[in-house]
């Protein structure tokens, strides 16, 4: 966030205070002042949005500069930059939402969008705010050492070339390497009819290394990536070495892999990226809009046990530099850590402002949107299971015959019911309490809520995965993180070869 120590009158602003400001960038608008945005423009747009009697309105400004550089066959084969700038106008009347956006930050364009969104209502106009409270003390969960708008392409190229060379040196079977490096810089500004102004600068970066290996006429391919809300300093030597090591090893082990027998069996989920199953098959069902509409299996489960007492699940916006971290959600609410399942009991849902009003609770800071082109929805941030009472080796030793899933790729989920199919890219057989042969080409099939009930062991080795996960919902994608400790599920259907 753009931060200043002094208010417009020269007085010092204490931590946590709200600043009442007048028009002008010095004491109100920071980042967006460069685009001519001030309180006067905001005030008149909100007045137009409330001109037909809406209960509430907000404006969501966004500027985002995204750069992608890709390397294949030892040379950069793609490099481009995308610039987004616009504002979305939302008007709420009862349970109805009107939404419009414009990419012109002029009074005429913004008024026009506001009147379009206001058409959801039909009544006498309501007054907009005459004064604004500017939030100056947001958390700093992704403070940058080297911001992306200060990084030139020639500073990124050595990273890609070094990774490319290192991958080929790591294993002689590596035949092809593809790299993708992306970064974003920009900001969001939320202004609403309650008089709030909240601004946040939001960085992001992702790096993927895809590897193709050849052995005895066979080819295998796999990928590893990292992501975070961080600057150029994110790419430490240790992290870059891990990208190469994981991508190459995950690829070459597939030459030894077999398909496991099919059928019902215990499944152990490895710590880290196995959290994709938790996110997709369980987490979406805990988003409040699905429950408010009665489409989630969890719609009548608040304050009821849904798992063993040692199962605890949180959705967290506070993990510093994580891809799913946010200082403020896209409705202007400061997020915290939300306990979804505590000691096996479902305690709350993930709320935006609309669902919170329906359930008569406070928003949990989960109102998120892909961009200014979209209205916010209840969405996850970083969803993970907390450590449990067991040990990794203890869990493996407890399985006579089963599989260990370490890396998932594609999957399909019926969000309402929680039915899922996931493809396991990497894993191992478990035989007589030991990891034995690597496996591949495996589907696991089940129902998320039922799988949660069957989680009968949880280790103390939680890992928040560092990959570049993007969550899709209602045509919108938002960055998220996820994680899980080593977990044993008593029984899941495994689709492998016929026994």
């Amino acid at each position: 966030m753009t931060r200043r120590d002094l208010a417009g009158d020269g007085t010092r602003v204490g931590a946590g205070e709200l600043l009442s400001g007048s028009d002008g960038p010095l004491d109100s608008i920071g980042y967006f002042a460069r685009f001519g945005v001030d309180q006067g423009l905001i005030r008149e747009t909100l007045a137009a949005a409330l001109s037909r009697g809406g209960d509430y309105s907000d404006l969501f400004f966004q500027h985002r500069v995204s750069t992608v550089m890709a390397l294949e066959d030892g040379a950069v084969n793609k490099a481009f930059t995308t610039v987004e700038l616009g504002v979305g106008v939302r008007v709420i009347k009862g349970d109805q939402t009107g939404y419009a956006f414009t990419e012109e930050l002029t009074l005429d364009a913004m008024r026009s969008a506001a009147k379009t969104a206001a058409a959801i209502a039909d009544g006498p106009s309501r007054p907009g705010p005459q004064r604004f409270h500017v939030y100056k003390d947001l958390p700093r969960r992704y403070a940058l050492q080297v911001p992306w708008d200060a990084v030139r392409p020639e500073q990124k190229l050595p990273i890609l070339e070094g990774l490319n060379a290192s991958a080929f040196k790591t294993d002689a079977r590596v035949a092809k390497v593809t790299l993708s490096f992306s970064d974003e810089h920009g900001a969001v500004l939320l202004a609403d009819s309650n008089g709030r102004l909240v601004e946040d600068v939001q960085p992001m970066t992702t790096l993927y290394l895809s590897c193709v290996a050849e052995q005895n006429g066979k080819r295998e391919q796999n990928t590893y990536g990292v992501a975070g809300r961080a600057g150029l300093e994110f790419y430490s030597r240790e992290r870059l070495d891990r990208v190469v090591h994981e991508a190459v090893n995950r690829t070459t082990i597939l030459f030894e892999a077999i398909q496991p027998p099919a059928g019902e069996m215990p499944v152990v989920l490895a710590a880290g990226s196995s959290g994709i199953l938790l996110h997709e098959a369980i987490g979406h069902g805990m988003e409040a809009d699905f429950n408010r509409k009665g489409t989630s299996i969890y719609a009548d489960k608040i304050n009821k046990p849904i798992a063993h007492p040692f199962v605890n699940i949180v959705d967290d916006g506070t993990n510093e530099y994580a891809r799913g971290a946010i200082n403020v959600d896209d409705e202007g609410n400061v997020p915290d850590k939300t306990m979804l399942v505590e000691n096996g009991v479902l305690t709350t849902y993930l709320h935006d402002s609309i669902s919170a009003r329906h359930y008569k609770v406070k928003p949990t800071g989960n109102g998120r949107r892909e961009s200014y082109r979209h209205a916010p929805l209840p969405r996850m941030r970083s969803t993970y299971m907390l450590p449990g009472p067991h040990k990794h080796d203890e869990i493996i030793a407890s399985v006579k015959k089963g599989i260990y899933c370490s890396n998932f790729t594609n999957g399909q989920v019926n969000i309402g019911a929680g039915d899922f199919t996931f493809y396991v890219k990497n894993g191992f057989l478990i035989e007589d309490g030991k990891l034995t042969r690597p496996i591949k080409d495996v589907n696991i099939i089940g129902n998320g809520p039922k799988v949660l009930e069957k989680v009968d062991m949880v280790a103390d080795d939680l890992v928040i995965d560092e990959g570049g996960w993007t969550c899709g919902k209602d045509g919108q994608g938002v960055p998220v993180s996820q994680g899980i400790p080593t977990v044993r599920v008593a029984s899941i259907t495994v689709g492998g070869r016929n026994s």
Side-chain angles (χ1 to χ4, degrees):
M1 176 180 177
T2 302
R3 303 170 65 89
R4 291 181 175 85
D5 292 329
L6 298 180
D9 59 3
T11 59
R12 190 162 295 278
V13 180
E17 287 186 39
L18 301 179
L19 177 64
S20 295
S22 58
D23 288 354
L26 179 62
D27 59 357
S28 57
I29 310 300
Y31 186 97
F32 282 88
R34 68 190 71 179
F35 303 115
V37 177
D38 59 26
Q39 288 193 19
L41 180 66
I42 291 170
R43 186 180 297 113
E44 293 200 43
T45 304
L46 287 172
L50 297 172
S51 62
R52 297 187 61 171
D55 299 328
Y56 168 89
S57 178
D58 60 28
L59 312 180
F60 182 80
F61 297 85
Q62 184 177 36
H63 178 236
R64 181 164 55 193
V65 180
S66 307
T67 300
V68 174
M69 181 181 289
L71 183 146
E72 186 173 356
D73 297 326
V76 172
N77 69 337
K78 184 189 300 182
F80 62 88
T81 295
T82 303
V83 180
E84 298 171 89
L85 176 65
V87 59
V89 184
R90 179 172 64 156
V91 177
I92 296 174
K93 180 67 174 179
D95 289 334
Q96 300 182 83
T97 298
Y99 198 80
F101 70 88
T102 177
E103 294 174 350
E104 294 182 37
L105 301 188
T106 63
L107 181 57
D108 286 346
M110 290 171 59
R111 271 181 176 164
S112 177
K115 289 179 180 179
T116 299
I120 198 73
D122 188 12
S125 65
R126 298 167 65 96
Q130 297 305 302
R131 296 177 66 81
F132 289 94
H133 300 295
V134 184
Y135 284 72
K136 290 288 185 178
D137 198 40
L138 289 183
R140 300 192 69 192
R141 292 171 178 148
Y142 26 84
L144 302 185
Q145 296 179 34
V146 186
W148 290 109
D149 56 351
V151 178
R152 299 181 61 80
E154 51 265 33
Q155 293 174 267
K156 305 172 190 177
L157 186 57
I159 295 175
L160 296 177
E161 291 175 335
L163 289 168
N164 182 70
S166 182
F168 281 106
K169 289 178 182 177
T170 298
D171 194 302
R173 293 171 291 180
V174 173
K176 184 179 182 68
V177 172
T178 303
L179 288 146
S180 177
F181 188 126
S182 67
D183 58 78
E184 297 176 6
H185 71 271
V188 299
L189 169 65
L190 188 288
D192 70 12
S193 55
N194 294 327
R196 292 188 304 169
L197 282 177
V198 189
E199 191 174 66
D200 188 36
V201 175
Q202 298 182 337
M204 185 69 73
T205 185
T206 60
L207 172 67
Y208 287 99
L209 193 160
S210 177
C211 177
V212 175
E214 295 180 352
Q215 176 178 297
N216 299 327
K218 296 182 179 180
R219 294 167 65 91
E220 296 287 358
Q221 183 274 334
N222 216 333
T223 302
Y224 188 76
V226 294
R229 288 197 183 276
L232 185 62
E233 67 278 358
F234 180 73
Y235 295 105
S236 64
R237 183 72 266 161
E238 183 273 335
R239 180 169 276 116
L240 294 176
D241 287 345
R242 183 166 64 252
V243 168
V244 173
H245 174 82
E246 290 291 339
V248 173
N249 284 3
R250 291 182 180 200
T251 302
T252 55
I253 198 172
L254 295 174
F255 291 119
E256 308 167 35
I258 62 168
Q259 277 193 289
E264 291 274 338
M265 65 186 70
V267 171
V268 177
L269 305 176
S273 64
S274 296
I276 181 63
L277 193 150
L278 181 70
H279 172 104
E280 293 287 3
I282 298 166
H284 277 296
M286 296 179 182
E287 292 169 336
D289 51 346
F290 292 123
N291 291 280
R292 183 166 59 91
K293 297 170 186 175
T295 57
S296 170
I297 199 168
Y298 295 114
D300 61 351
K301 296 293 193 297
I302 288 289
N303 296 323
K304 295 180 181 179
I306 60 172
H308 283 282
F310 49 77
V311 172
N312 296 277
I313 300 173
V314 301
D315 184 77
D316 191 356
T318 70
N319 294 328
E320 290 188 354
Y321 303 105
R323 181 169 167 84
I326 49 176
N327 290 328
V328 62
D329 79 356
D330 296 331
E331 296 183 302
N333 297 310
V334 177
D336 207 337
K337 186 181 295 185
T338 303
M339 182 67 72
L340 292 169
V341 179
E342 186 169 11
N343 300 325
V345 175
L346 180 62
T347 58
T348 190
Y349 301 129
L350 299 176
H351 290 286
D352 64 0
S353 295
I354 292 176
S355 67
R357 185 174 67 248
H358 173 83
Y359 284 97
K360 296 179 172 60
V361 298
K362 291 183 178 181
T364 55
N366 288 88
R368 305 189 65 196
R369 60 182 108 195
E370 179 177 316
S371 75
Y372 61 88
R373 301 179 183 92
H374 305 273
L377 299 167
R379 307 293 299 272
M380 284 173 276
R381 300 158 306 189
S382 179
T383 310
Y384 54 91
M385 188 179 295
L386 295 178
H390 305 100
K391 299 292 183 183
H392 172 272
D393 292 346
E394 174 190 4
I395 292 177
I396 301 300
S398 72
V399 178
K400 176 74 173 176
K401 178 184 177 183
I403 65 168
Y404 178 84
C405 303
S406 54
N407 180 26
F408 290 86
T409 52
N410 297 332
Q412 293 182 330
V413 178
N414 178 340
I415 290 175
D419 297 325
F420 67 81
T421 300
F422 279 105
Y423 184 79
V424 181
K425 185 71 172 180
N426 292 103
F428 289 88
L429 284 179
I430 307 176
E431 299 174 297
D432 297 322
K434 295 180 180 179
L435 298 180
T436 57
R437 290 170 289 179
I439 58 173
K440 65 177 181 179
D441 300 331
V442 185
N443 283 307
I444 61 171
I445 304 162
N447 174 271
K450 290 181 179 178
V451 163
L452 189 60
E453 293 174 4
K454 293 180 181 180
V455 171
D456 57 2
M457 298 182 80
V458 178
D460 58 358
D461 58 349
L462 169 64
V463 174
I464 306 296
D465 188 69
E466 61 184 348
W469 300 100
T470 297
C471 172
K473 177 180 175 181
D474 288 0
Q476 298 189 44
V478 298
V480 295
S481 301
Q482 57 204 17
I484 200 168
T486 303
V487 164
R488 188 180 80 168
V489 182
S491 178
I492 300 182
T493 299
V494 175
R497 59 178 170 78
N498 294 326
S499 302

